[in-house]
Amino acid sequence: RGSSGFVWVLAPTPELWTKVLPHRTQILYLPDISLICHGLELRPGAVVLESGTGSGSLTHSLVRAVAGAPAGHVYTFEFNRVRAEAAAKEIAEHGLHAACTVTHRDIEADGFPACLAGCADAVFLDLPGPWKCVASVARCLRPDGVVCSFSPCIEQVQRTCAALEAEGFGDTTTVELLGREYDVESHQLQTRLGFEQPKLQAQWKRDNKAKDKRKRTGEEEEEE
């Protein structure tokens, strides 16, 4: 209405979907998703197996990474029927069904389907007990395929690494991704050494001094 406002219309991306999707489970966010896609060595035309689907946050990024060629496909599995049906509906609504198949299946108990044996370039596991299906993963991966398991507890990591070693996997790496923000400040460099150099203080020190000053001012006003 009128001429004073405007609206930005953004093309849909997996990153935007991760920000607004309905949370049926805890989800993976962009830093983890980026590291996973890089570690899985994804490329257009690759075939990826994922378990479990959850809210579909990672699934959308996996589809984008492999869908640039006709053979690229993501087979994602979810043991909860309601979540599997919801994810399948979203994939269809977003026009990704040609490159993604959502299936209701308990991978820990039943493993990946036999029809996928020797078909996968990469496998991603986000399960309570990923070590339970490592044998099935080994049957599905092509030579030089990559498997990535996401676990919050080091005990899960230890058991999964032991199972991978027992199945003949090599070059196992454990990574913890930590986000860190940096404060960037600008200072004028004093080039004339005859003058006194300015004292540089971190932003948090200045903020604390300002807070202390406001606090003292408030106490003095109360006393008056």
Side-chain angles (χ1 to χ4, degrees):
R1 293 181 179 180
S3 59
S4 60
F6 62 91
V7 176
W8 289 105
V9 180
L10 303 177
T13 64
E15 290 80 11
L16 292 176
W17 180 243
T18 292
K19 292 179 179 292
V20 301
L21 59 78
H23 286 222
R24 297 179 288 271
T25 60
Q26 292 184 347
I27 69 169
L28 292 175
Y29 290 94
L30 300 183
D32 291 315
I33 291 174
S34 301
L35 181 61
I36 290 167
C37 291
H38 171 72
L40 290 177
E41 302 176 3
L42 300 183
R43 63 191 183 280
V47 176
V48 184
L49 309 185
E50 178 195 20
S51 182
T53 310
S55 299
S57 176
L58 174 64
T59 307
H60 283 71
S61 291
L62 295 178
V63 174
R64 179 179 61 182
V66 305
H73 204 91
V74 175
Y75 296 91
T76 181
F77 300 86
E78 171 60 47
F79 85 96
N80 181 285
R81 182 179 296 277
V82 175
R83 292 201 292 263
E85 292 174 352
K89 181 181 178 182
E90 291 169 352
I91 291 295
E93 290 175 346
H94 299 164
L96 304 176
H97 56 280
C100 182
T101 302
V102 183
T103 304
H104 170 239
R105 184 182 178 92
D106 187 347
I107 297 300
E108 283 190 7
D110 304 324
F112 290 100
C115 62
L116 295 176
C119 294
D121 298 291
V123 177
F124 176 76
L125 303 175
D126 186 0
L127 301 168
W131 58 89
K132 298 177 182 178
C133 57
V134 168
S136 177
V137 170
R139 289 193 295 270
C140 292
L141 277 176
R142 293 171 179 166
D144 296 326
V146 182
V147 57
C148 173
S149 178
F150 185 88
S151 297
C153 300
I154 191 61
E155 292 80 8
Q156 294 170 301
V157 174
Q158 290 173 326
R159 297 186 67 173
T160 304
C161 288
L164 290 170
E165 184 178 356
E167 289 293 332
F169 286 89
D171 298 328
T172 304
T173 304
T174 301
V175 178
E176 182 180 16
L177 182 61
L178 301 175
R180 180 176 179 180
E181 296 183 358
Y182 286 85
D183 291 329
V184 180
E185 301 180 3
S186 63
H187 297 281
Q188 184 177 2
L189 180 63
Q190 184 65 263
T191 57
R192 299 182 65 179
L193 301 181
F195 292 91
E196 183 180 356
Q197 296 295 313
K199 295 181 179 180
L200 304 182
Q201 294 182 342
Q203 180 66 39
W204 65 270
K205 291 183 179 179
R206 293 196 294 272
D207 291 342
N208 286 342
K209 286 185 177 180
K211 290 179 182 178
D212 291 340
K213 184 177 180 181
R214 290 195 298 269
K215 184 177 179 181
R216 289 194 301 270
T217 302
E219 292 175 351
E220 292 172 358
E221 292 178 352
E222 291 179 359
E223 291 177 357
E224 294 177 357

